[in-house]
Amino acid sequence: MNTLFSLSKKWKNYDVFARQKMTTFKSSRPAVIELAGRYKDLIAQLESGNGAAAGSTGGEQEAADKILFTEMCEICLWGNATDLSLLTSLTYEDIQKLQGSKARREAEKNILSNDFPTAFEVLKSAQKQSDSKERRVDIILDNAGFELFVDLVLAGFLLSANLADTIVLHPKSIPWFVSDVLPKDFGDLLNALADPKRFYETQSEDEKHKDVTPEPLSDKEAEELSFLFERWSEFHAEGKLVIRPNLFWTEGGSYWRLPKTAPDLYEDLKESELVIFKGDLNYRKLTGDAMWDAITPFAAAIGPLGPKSGIRTLALRTCKADVVVGLSPGEDERLRAMEGGGGDSGARKWAWSGKWAVVQFCDGKA
């Protein structure tokens, strides 16, 4: 399909999913506004040096940084619950329930394998040893819309908290699985935030048909959303927030092929302190989409990207397919035995809904 478009005169860069992506982002308005307000307050504290309580020790400050890092990463993880390819039976109200702080707190107990603390230690160690060497974090993106928004929240936090000095975002090069991020989606999102009143208060085609008038944004809400535009645009202009697509991300086959089929990309990723892979499909490609035993170590399942690869990998994945590794003995059996978990059917049905998540790390630089 992409070849057909690329051979045309006027449709070369057309994204058939673009309107759907922005409509879904618009429907995430409550969670976007909540996060924008919290993000603005947090960044103001970080940049004023008031992020820690008065008189706190270095250890207490580091503990506070760790909590903030974990919270931002959890927002990023569960933001991935909004995947357009799986939303055919959900209403916008259902989508909104997947987002927001209360839902996120309730979901913490559903992270089956959690390596966020290890990832924080990696970035904190690099910060302490920092000289002239670039401290870079790469994010292999998954979905556009609200998920890209929370990816940028995480990226902005890492830069403002000095846990990284460069963030490289890796989008897809062509429209692929409905909601996958393209380079243009980054610009579309910033444009929406540049004039939030116009974006949120203009009737969509669907709203026109239903004769629904969008609720106006308050001045405070508009100011907080515009703050995100200004800050992220500034990071992008300064070269701290980089967009770097590569055709490898939309090729067939698993990421086990990376070292030999995309050697330049492989060498580039070695320069990063941490490479974060977002979403279910990236996880399946990392693990070869194979029928691993659930207790197989994550480091073994990612093959050539595992130990001694030179790449530090962190997978953030809400489970939407059978493939899962790195679980404690007996955990898979416990989940299968739950109602709707799959039982003796041979299918790992508990891993289909996005209710459960894994956060798994492998230090390929060790």
Side-chain angles (χ1 to χ4, degrees):
M1 285 181 66
N2 183 68
T3 302
L4 291 172
F5 278 104
S6 66
L7 293 173
S8 69
K9 287 185 177 181
K10 299 182 179 180
W11 297 77
K12 290 183 185 296
N13 299 311
Y14 181 70
D15 179 6
V16 67
F17 306 119
R19 191 196 314 186
Q20 193 175 352
K21 290 175 185 176
M22 292 310 291
T23 299
T24 306
F25 176 63
K26 194 173 185 179
S27 74
S28 302
R29 171 174 164 166
V32 168
I33 290 172
E34 178 193 347
L35 274 178
R38 293 173 62 207
Y39 179 84
K40 184 175 183 290
D41 291 343
L42 172 62
I43 299 306
Q45 289 180 32
L46 286 171
E47 295 182 352
S48 68
N50 295 328
S56 63
T57 65
E60 290 169 337
Q61 173 62 49
E62 187 165 325
D65 289 345
K66 186 175 182 178
I67 291 170
L68 277 176
F69 170 81
T70 303
E71 178 165 333
M72 289 294 170
C73 286
E74 285 175 356
I75 289 169
C76 202
L77 169 69
W78 294 112
N80 187 31
T82 305
D83 183 335
L84 295 187
S85 65
L86 298 176
L87 290 183
T88 52
S89 62
L90 294 182
T91 65
Y92 284 155
E93 184 180 356
D94 293 327
I95 294 172
Q96 291 167 5
K97 287 177 183 175
L98 292 173
Q99 302 158 348
S101 61
K102 183 179 179 183
R104 186 185 48 73
R105 284 198 302 272
E106 290 174 352
E108 282 180 0
K109 63 182 181 297
N110 291 351
I111 303 177
L112 302 172
S113 174
N114 192 341
D115 286 337
F116 280 140
T118 309
F120 174 77
E121 294 305 325
V122 164
L123 297 183
K124 201 66 183 175
S125 176
Q127 182 191 60
K128 291 174 180 176
Q129 298 171 15
S130 179
D131 39 36
S132 58
K133 182 177 178 293
E134 180 186 46
R135 292 179 294 115
R136 176 179 134 193
V137 171
D138 287 57
I139 304 177
I140 315 302
L141 299 170
D142 189 21
N143 295 312
F146 182 75
E147 187 183 336
L148 177 59
F149 176 80
V150 295
D151 292 340
L152 290 171
V153 166
L154 175 62
F157 165 74
L158 292 174
L159 291 169
S160 295
N162 195 30
L163 289 170
D165 49 36
T166 307
I167 305 291
V168 180
L169 303 176
H170 297 261
K172 304 294 193 297
S173 300
I174 64 174
W176 213 32
F177 282 108
V178 188
S179 46
D180 283 307
V181 179
L182 300 179
K184 182 178 178 294
D185 294 323
F186 176 74
D188 289 346
L189 182 59
L190 288 186
N191 286 338
L193 297 176
D195 190 352
K197 279 185 174 288
R198 179 181 178 186
F199 177 69
Y200 281 113
E201 294 176 13
T202 301
Q203 278 184 310
S204 65
E205 290 299 318
D206 190 45
E207 286 168 334
K208 287 178 182 176
H209 287 307
K210 295 179 179 177
D211 195 25
V212 173
T213 302
E215 185 180 341
L217 284 178
S218 69
D219 290 341
K220 180 176 182 291
E221 290 168 342
E223 179 191 345
E224 289 167 346
L225 291 168
S226 296
F227 172 83
L228 298 184
F229 165 75
E230 292 164 6
R231 187 51 50 95
W232 294 344
S233 297
E234 184 180 329
F235 283 146
H236 185 51
E238 292 174 348
K240 295 180 179 180
L241 189 58
V242 180
I243 313 295
R244 192 171 294 169
N246 191 292
L247 285 170
F248 175 79
W249 305 120
T250 49
E251 289 179 0
S254 80
Y255 293 163
W256 284 42
R257 301 162 52 255
L258 175 61
K260 292 186 177 180
T261 62
D264 291 344
L265 174 60
Y266 179 56
E267 292 301 320
D268 182 49
L269 293 176
K270 287 183 181 180
E271 299 298 313
S272 184
E273 292 294 337
L274 184 67
V275 182
I276 301 173
F277 288 81
K278 291 290 307 295
D280 189 74
L281 183 57
N282 279 328
Y283 185 89
R284 289 165 59 189
K285 282 179 160 277
L286 276 172
T287 58
D289 209 10
M291 291 293 288
W292 298 101
D293 190 305
I295 63 172
T296 305
F298 177 68
I302 62 175
L305 300 186
K308 309 298 182 184
S309 64
I311 297 176
R312 288 197 187 102
T313 298
L314 181 69
L316 272 58
R317 185 247 189 154
T318 51
C319 302
K320 297 171 188 169
D322 295 72
V323 182
V324 65
V325 297
L327 299 191
S328 302
E331 187 74 359
D332 182 37
E333 291 78 4
R334 180 184 72 84
L335 293 165
R336 284 177 186 255
M338 296 173 68
E339 183 179 356
D344 298 325
S345 67
R348 190 174 280 136
K349 293 183 179 180
W350 65 261
W352 296 355
S353 66
K355 177 182 178 181
W356 304 95
V358 290
V359 177
Q360 294 171 328
F361 175 80
C362 175
D363 191 348
K365 295 182 187 288

